[in-house]
């Protein structure tokens, strides 16, 4: 089990919820990204199918507890994002997990095919979706936090610099011929 202080922060503003502890390893990329931006978050294992009452209680009380965004990761018939979105006005970001036999397509469709009126923002499956959920959460939070907006600007610059460095290496290694 991954655990540190940031995950049980009293002032958590992002809730990271997973359908199973089998999702934890992939979702560590989400927690790492939130930490990199200095976001206080909490982590819960709550299943839409196995602990539905807890799922309802979690999202129904989320605004009152100070959360601003909920991230929901689940695999197979991934109902978690939708179930959490049903009981809160907070934005819910879904991360489909690739645990099932369909390589995550099952979870991707379950996450994104929400009926009108109950949106869930669907990320890419698994390792790409996990950090992207954190970044999207930060982008939402940055709308009312200019310091966080500055961190996002820097994040974009750093990312571009890394690609430019690889580009320079590719040009050096593979000169035009
Ligand atoms: C989903 O079913 C979970 O989110 C997980 O991705 C998948 C399998 O869960 P376990 O059987 O590993 O607990 O609910």
């Amino acid at each position: 089990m991954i655990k540190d202080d940031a995950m049980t922060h009293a002032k958590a503003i992002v809730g990271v919820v997973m359908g199973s502890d089998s999702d934890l390893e992939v979702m560590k990329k989400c927690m790492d990204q939130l930490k990199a931006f200095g976001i206080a978050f909490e982590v819960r294992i709550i299943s839409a199918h196995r602990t539905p009452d807890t799922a309802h209680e979690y999202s129904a009380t989320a605004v009152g507890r100070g959360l601003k965004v909920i991230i929901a990761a689940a695999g197979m018939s991934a109902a978690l994002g939708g179930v959490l979105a049903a009981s809160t006005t907070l934005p819910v970001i879904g991360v489909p997990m690739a645990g099932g036999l369909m390589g995550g397509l099952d979870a991707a469709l379950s996450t994104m095919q929400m009926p009108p009126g109950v949106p869930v923002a669907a990320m890419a499956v698994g390792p790409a979706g996990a950090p992207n959920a954190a970044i999207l959460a930060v982008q939402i939070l940055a709308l009312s936090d200019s310091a966080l907006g500055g961190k996002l600007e820097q994040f974009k610059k750093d990312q571009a610099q890394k690609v430019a460095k690889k580009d320079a290496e590719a040009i050096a290694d593979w000169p035009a011929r």
Side-chain angles (χ1 to χ4, degrees):
M1 169 80 76
I2 308 157
K3 202 166 190 326
D4 65 30
D5 290 346
M7 292 169 68
T8 52
H9 200 292
K11 295 273 187 230
I13 54 173
V14 173
V16 182
V17 186
M18 278 156 268
S20 168
D21 64 346
S22 63
D23 302 322
L24 257 173
E25 197 51 42
V26 171
M27 287 306 288
K28 189 174 179 302
K29 290 176 187 290
C30 177
M31 279 88 97
D32 287 346
Q33 193 67 74
L34 288 170
K35 271 190 257 180
F37 280 106
I39 302 294
F41 61 94
E42 62 184 21
V43 175
R44 297 286 303 271
I45 309 293
I46 301 172
S47 167
H49 300 115
R50 293 165 174 158
T51 56
D53 294 345
T54 309
H56 168 71
E57 200 219 341
Y58 182 83
S59 61
T61 59
V63 170
R65 290 183 293 105
L67 291 189
K68 306 268 190 237
V69 182
I70 295 175
I71 294 170
M76 304 184 76
S77 178
L80 186 60
V83 165
L84 295 178
S87 304
T88 185
T89 53
L90 292 177
V92 175
I93 303 170
V95 186
M97 296 286 107
L101 293 174
M102 296 179 186
L105 182 59
D106 44 2
L109 291 173
S110 302
T111 301
M112 76 174 70
Q113 289 289 32
M114 289 299 296
V118 190
V120 171
M123 301 292 100
V125 173
N132 274 357
I135 296 163
L136 181 56
V138 172
Q139 289 171 327
I140 293 168
L141 295 167
L143 292 172
S144 55
D145 183 337
S146 57
L148 204 47
K151 287 186 185 179
L152 276 169
E153 296 279 357
Q154 191 57 50
F155 172 78
K156 290 272 189 199
K157 280 182 195 152
D158 292 348
Q159 188 166 244
Q161 263 176 11
K162 279 181 203 157
V163 176
K165 183 168 177 289
K166 294 290 177 193
D167 185 31
E169 286 167 10
I171 291 166
D173 290 347
W174 303 91
R177 66 191 77 202

